[in-house]
Amino acid sequence: MRCFFLALSALLLGGCSFSSNYRRPQEFDLAPVKVEFSRPISFSGFSNLSGSDRRFLLCRGSQTVRAEYSRWISNPDLMLMRALASGVPDAVTDKPLPRCNLVLYRFNWCDENAYLVADVTLLNGKNSSRWMFQTQEKCEKPSAEARVAAMDQCVERLAVSIKEKLAKLPESR
């Protein structure tokens, strides 16, 4: 018992304080897209080269920082796959599905604008379509919630772009 009190005293006198200043990080997710794809599609092969991970990536001018208290629930590429897949219709088919691959190059905020840049490839048998997708959205306020809302708008535009290209991609036989 004496050792316990000595250890507790050492902690308290040694500068270890139990501060009430702790702030729990907020976690956010991308909203499911409202876009409905015209036919089933498989989202796979997404990769993230953006430098973004779970913590928000913010830049001001030439300086880039990771937000301490604002985080994604998962890595951006995985959240993108899930958000986009929410617009895929259910269908039973014996034909191979068109596949969407994506390389994420930018997923951050600079000077209160959300940016999403990705190399997107649609594959359907011997038919393919590839393009560089780029968009930005102004954040209404400098808050984490406003940043997420702006990024959701960027993802919605990505879904529209994929839907348009998918409609032009011939069916495989």
Side-chain angles (χ1 to χ4, degrees):
M1 190 69 158
R2 186 174 188 193
C3 291
F4 171 75
F5 286 117
L6 285 174
L8 182 61
S9 298
L11 281 174
L12 293 175
L13 294 175
C16 179
S17 64
F18 298 102
S19 174
S20 63
N21 292 337
Y22 174 75
R23 201 169 109 197
R24 185 175 188 177
Q26 289 182 289
E27 291 190 330
F28 297 91
D29 194 2
L30 291 173
V33 296
K34 296 176 185 111
V35 172
E36 292 185 28
F37 294 96
S38 58
R39 61 186 190 197
I41 182 172
S42 168
F43 292 101
S44 61
F46 280 37
S47 60
N48 179 12
L49 300 179
S50 69
S52 295
D53 55 17
R54 289 197 55 219
R55 288 189 289 170
F56 285 11
L57 192 59
L58 310 170
C59 64
R60 288 180 177 77
S62 62
Q63 187 179 31
T64 301
V65 296
R66 296 191 188 284
E68 289 299 318
Y69 298 105
S70 301
R71 298 179 181 167
W72 295 112
I73 64 160
S74 184
N75 288 335
D77 51 324
L78 300 175
M79 288 188 308
L80 268 176
M81 267 197 295
R82 192 178 62 253
L84 292 170
S86 67
V88 176
D90 292 331
V92 177
T93 179
D94 56 352
K95 293 181 181 179
L97 294 179
R99 189 174 76 229
C100 179
N101 296 339
L102 182 140
V103 178
L104 188 60
Y105 288 116
R106 189 168 184 189
F107 192 82
N108 65 352
W109 296 270
C110 280
D111 301 321
E112 299 312 322
N113 286 309
Y115 289 90
L116 192 156
V117 177
D119 181 9
V120 185
T121 305
L122 287 177
L123 303 162
N124 195 23
K126 294 182 181 181
N127 302 307
S128 68
S129 179
R130 184 176 179 190
W131 70 100
M132 184 63 72
F133 176 82
Q134 301 180 57
T135 191
Q136 71 182 56
E137 178 69 25
K138 180 81 174 159
C139 296
E140 295 298 319
K141 296 185 277 185
S143 68
E145 291 81 5
R147 287 186 178 113
V148 171
M151 192 59 78
D152 283 339
Q153 289 301 310
C154 291
V155 173
E156 196 73 24
R157 286 190 203 116
L158 173 62
V160 168
S161 178
I162 293 169
K163 178 182 178 175
E164 290 170 354
K165 301 283 186 182
L166 181 63
K168 295 176 185 175
L169 193 65
E171 300 261 350
S172 65
R173 297 178 190 202

